[in-house]
Amino acid sequence: TLGGLIKLFRLLSDHKPAVVQTWMYHANLVGGVVARLAGVRHAFWGIHHTDLVPGATGRSTRIVAKLCARLSRIVPSRIVACAERARAVHIDLGYDAQKFVVIPNGYDIAAYAPAQEAGAALRRQLALPADGPVLGLVGRWSAEKDHANLLAAFASLAEARPEVRLLLVGTGLSADNADLTALVERHGLSGRVLLAGRRDDIPAVMNALDVHVLSSNSEGFPNVVAEAMACGTPCVVTDVGDAALIVGETGWVVPPRDPAALAGAMTAALTAMAEPDLWAGYQHNARQRVGDKFSLAAMVARYEAVWQSARKRRNDPNGVDPAS
């Protein structure tokens, strides 16, 4: 509202912060422009989205994103993208390529950690088999998450491995979603797929899974993959956004929109599970990779370095930007 914009302008004018960091398209536009009008020299934009797909991304969001592309040369000092894929997509959209820095999301590896008892308790609560293999996906019902791809792949897998169960967690993944339940029934998966809906105990969910599967056709930096890995849960992912970068050599990567390839990777993961020493290595390496490359502390340090670069340029306009 106009009143909100005036209040923001006055707040920034009074405090004159060295840096304003905004988050996502609408905030980048509003916060960035108001900050500069209020005399703030350094507005930093945050981009946490990749493909702007009609039908999956709202029309107003696409319009704002394109407007930000035009303003990117004059409003932000830096544009922080959460993923290399996000950076590349937005440069193609017209954003100023020279202003980008990529800072991957960071994770609290104390909160997301192996917890066998929590996983076992959740399996009992959801009536999942205590020892049978459980695959799962955490992610809201949306076109980008491509649950149809996952269910088609799982239907193929289930013919050979009838003991395997699939757990779906997230907003819209419940029995009152008629489109989803129809999809499950069409593949003959009733009783094999558990729709758990939205939950707040995601670390326990990740510990209840043997393998987390990302079936998306579009992503930026998929948090659920790193969260699963931090819990010691290996991942099968489609090659979207920075999913392959997160997984590295600790899991399986397949093309998007390819149920046969996804089924093959899930089968490979289940085969690895049959060898305890091999599987323990996958679990250890998954958590180790997140701790080494995507910790919360590492993310904070990177943001602070970028912000400090603005403060140094403020005091010494001819100084070198350490984020370059």
Side-chain angles (χ1 to χ4, degrees):
T1 63
L2 178 59
L5 293 174
I6 292 172
K7 184 177 180 180
L8 177 60
F9 177 83
R10 288 175 176 168
L11 179 71
L12 295 175
S13 296
D14 290 344
H15 287 277
K16 285 291 192 299
V19 167
V20 167
Q21 174 73 58
T22 57
W23 206 263
M24 309 284 277
Y25 299 125
H26 293 79
N28 292 341
L29 176 61
V30 174
V33 170
V34 173
R36 294 303 297 271
L37 291 175
V40 177
R41 289 185 58 189
H42 297 292
F44 283 63
W45 283 357
I47 290 181
H48 294 261
H49 202 94
T50 49
D51 301 323
L52 296 164
V53 181
T57 305
R59 182 170 179 270
S60 67
T61 298
R62 299 198 309 274
I63 291 172
V64 171
K66 291 176 181 178
L67 179 57
C68 285
R70 296 191 174 192
L71 294 173
S72 64
R73 285 159 182 78
I74 58 175
V75 173
S77 296
R78 282 283 192 174
I79 305 171
V80 181
C82 71
E84 290 290 348
R85 170 65 179 166
R87 181 188 68 83
V89 165
H90 286 81
I91 289 173
D92 289 344
L93 196 63
Y95 282 70
D96 187 347
Q98 301 303 314
K99 292 186 176 180
F100 273 93
V101 58
V102 175
I103 301 179
N105 293 339
Y107 303 89
D108 183 354
I109 59 174
Y112 287 89
Q116 186 175 0
E117 291 184 5
L122 185 62
R123 284 197 181 203
R124 290 193 297 271
Q125 182 188 67
L126 297 177
L128 287 167
D131 299 319
V134 177
L135 310 180
L137 180 151
V138 177
R140 72 189 185 284
W141 173 253
S142 71
E144 296 105 317
K145 301 303 179 185
D146 204 354
H147 292 88
N149 179 32
L150 174 59
L151 289 170
F154 185 69
S156 175
L157 169 69
E159 291 183 8
R161 300 293 299 267
E163 79 280 10
V164 182
R165 296 293 180 266
L166 179 65
L167 173 64
L168 300 181
V169 174
T171 301
L173 301 180
S174 53
D176 58 0
N177 182 335
D179 292 335
L180 176 57
T181 54
L183 196 58
V184 170
E185 291 171 3
R186 190 179 312 139
H187 285 294
L189 295 173
S190 298
R192 309 282 293 280
V193 176
L194 177 61
L195 307 178
R198 184 182 183 280
R199 297 186 66 94
D200 297 322
D201 54 349
I202 300 305
V205 171
M206 295 307 189
N207 275 283
L209 301 178
D210 292 300
V211 180
H212 184 272
V213 183
L214 183 84
S215 56
S216 301
N217 55 49
S218 175
E219 287 284 351
F221 191 95
N223 291 325
V224 290
V225 174
E227 290 168 355
M229 290 170 59
C231 292
T233 300
C235 292
V236 171
V237 302
T238 47
D239 191 4
V240 291
D242 278 13
L245 173 66
I246 299 170
V247 168
E249 300 297 321
T250 72
W252 295 263
V253 182
V254 299
R257 303 183 181 90
D258 189 339
L262 189 60
M266 290 190 292
T267 299
L270 292 172
T271 300
M273 280 180 59
E275 300 184 40
D277 290 343
L278 176 63
W279 192 243
Y282 272 108
Q283 293 173 315
H284 171 80
N285 292 339
R287 177 166 170 80
Q288 186 69 42
R289 183 171 177 82
V290 173
D292 289 345
K293 294 184 175 295
F294 307 113
S295 70
L296 187 61
M299 183 192 75
V300 170
R302 289 166 182 154
Y303 269 100
E304 288 181 341
V306 171
W307 295 336
Q308 288 296 336
S309 73
R311 293 175 63 89
K312 290 180 180 179
R313 290 200 307 276
R314 186 183 192 184
N315 296 327
D316 179 9
N318 297 316
V320 176
D321 180 359
S324 300

